[in-house]
Amino acid sequence: MLLAAHTDDFDKPSADISQHTVPAPVKSVLRAGWTVREDGYVVTALPYDPQLGLVTEPGDDEFDADTVTDTELHTYAVGKPYHPNKTSWPDGLMQWRLTDTGVSLLLFLGSPTTSEITAVRTGRAQFALIAGQHALLLAHRFEPGLPWSDAPWQACRQDVPVGLPLVGETGHLLVAVMLVDAHTGIVQAIRQTTWSARFAEAVRAAMRTQTLNRSTDAQGATEIDTWYRRYTTTQDLVRHADLTTKSGAQPLT
C-alpha cells in the first residue's frame, strides 16, 4: 500500500501536500504510472472522488494480516493507530516486508523526537545490503535525524509470499516507510522513497539465493550472528556492504 497525492498542487515542488494524500494499492499505481516528488510523495493519475475517496479496481485491494480484522481493512494514517487493537511495541523494532505487491520498512521508536519524525518524512534516505547464502541484512538511514540502523531478513521467517515488484518506468522501485510511536502505537510519519534498479535486483537475487538453498531458520541465524560478530556497528557493516544506494539515484558503490 502506497501513499499517493490527490491535490492540484502536486506539480509544485514547494507545495506542502502532506494533508492531501491517500493510501493507494501498488498494483493500481503501477498500472496508472507514477512520479516521485523531491519530498518523497508519490503522484499518480488515479481517479479521486471527494465522497468515495480513491477509486481503484477491487482486485487491486491489499490486506495485511497484522492490521486487518475479519470484517474491515485498517487504513494507515499519520496520527492514527498503526494497529486497531494494539498500543505498544518493542522500542527500536524494525521490520522489512519484501513482497510482490510492495516493499516497506516499519520503524517503531518510543516517543520519537521531532527531528526523528522529520527525518523519516523528508530526510535523505540511504540503504545498504549485505547478502548471504541463508539471510540478508538491510541497513537504512534518514539524514539528518536518524543514523544508520539495520535489520536482518530471512525468507523462511516470512508469513506472506516473498518477492519484489517490477521496477517502475523511472528505473526505481518504490519503498514505503512508516514510523510508529512504540509507546502509543500511533503512526508518526509515512513516506515513499525509492531503491535504484541495481539495488532492487541485488536484493531480489539475495532473496532468490535463500529460496534455492532452502535456507532454514537455524542456518540464517548462524549467518546473521557471524555478521554481527564481525561488524560491531551498523556503520562498520555499511562500509563492508555489497551495495549501497540513496533514494532516487544510482547506487553509491
Side-chain angles (χ1 to χ4, degrees), residues 78-103:
V78 173
K80 302 296 183 180
Y82 168 70
H83 193 288
N85 303 312
K86 190 172 182 178
T87 58
S88 64
W89 306 80
D91 190 1
L93 176 66
M94 294 170 284
Q95 295 180 342
W96 280 99
R97 292 180 68 84
L98 310 176
T99 74
D100 58 4
T101 60
V103 174

Side-chain angles (χ1 to χ4, degrees), residues 122-251:
T122 60
R124 297 185 299 275
Q126 292 180 271
F127 303 94
L129 167 70
I130 284 188
Q133 294 298 305
H134 306 291
L136 61 84
L137 286 175
L138 282 167
H140 61 273
R141 74 172 172 182
F142 299 94
E143 293 186 304
L146 279 181
W148 282 109
S149 298
D150 64 88
W153 187 91
Q154 296 172 255
C156 65
R157 295 180 62 87
Q158 307 309 305
D159 57 1
V160 294
V162 301
L164 286 183
L166 296 177
V167 174
E169 293 181 0
T170 61
H172 298 89
L173 180 63
L174 287 175
V175 177
V177 183
M178 186 184 303
L179 172 63
V180 178
D181 187 333
H183 295 164
T184 64
I186 300 299
V187 176
Q188 298 296 315
I190 302 176
R191 75 173 287 182
Q192 300 297 323
T193 184
T194 57
W195 285 347
S196 68
R198 182 182 169 196
F199 191 87
E201 291 310 312
V203 174
R204 195 191 308 275
M207 297 167 66
R208 186 182 304 116
T209 295
Q210 293 185 45
T211 301
L212 293 176
N213 288 340
R214 298 183 179 179
S215 300
T216 65
D217 192 13
Q219 289 174 317
T222 298
E223 196 164 45
I224 293 167
D225 183 66
T226 299
W227 285 328
Y228 284 144
R229 289 176 182 273
R230 183 181 306 160
Y231 310 121
T232 56
T233 66
T234 303
Q235 289 85 348
D236 192 25
L237 183 153
V238 171
R239 283 193 292 268
H240 294 85
D242 296 305
L243 199 65
T244 59
T245 191
K246 58 183 177 180
S247 176
Q250 295 301 313

Side-chain angles (χ1 to χ4, degrees), residues 54-141:
L54 192 68
V55 180
T56 60
E57 295 292 334
D60 290 351
D61 290 345
E62 298 167 10
F63 296 88
D64 188 329
D66 292 335
T67 57
V68 179
T69 67
D70 291 335
T71 58
E72 63 179 352
L73 173 64
H74 183 69
T75 300
Y76 302 121
V78 173
K80 302 296 183 180
Y82 168 70
H83 193 288
N85 303 312
K86 190 172 182 178
T87 58
S88 64
W89 306 80
D91 190 1
L93 176 66
M94 294 170 284
Q95 295 180 342
W96 280 99
R97 292 180 68 84
L98 310 176
T99 74
D100 58 4
T101 60
V103 174
S104 62
L105 171 61
L106 186 58
L107 306 172
F108 292 93
L109 295 178
S111 302
T113 64
T114 299
S115 63
E116 290 172 333
I117 294 172
T118 300
V120 173
R121 289 186 61 188
T122 60
R124 297 185 299 275
Q126 292 180 271
F127 303 94
L129 167 70
I130 284 188
Q133 294 298 305
H134 306 291
L136 61 84
L137 286 175
L138 282 167
H140 61 273
R141 74 172 172 182

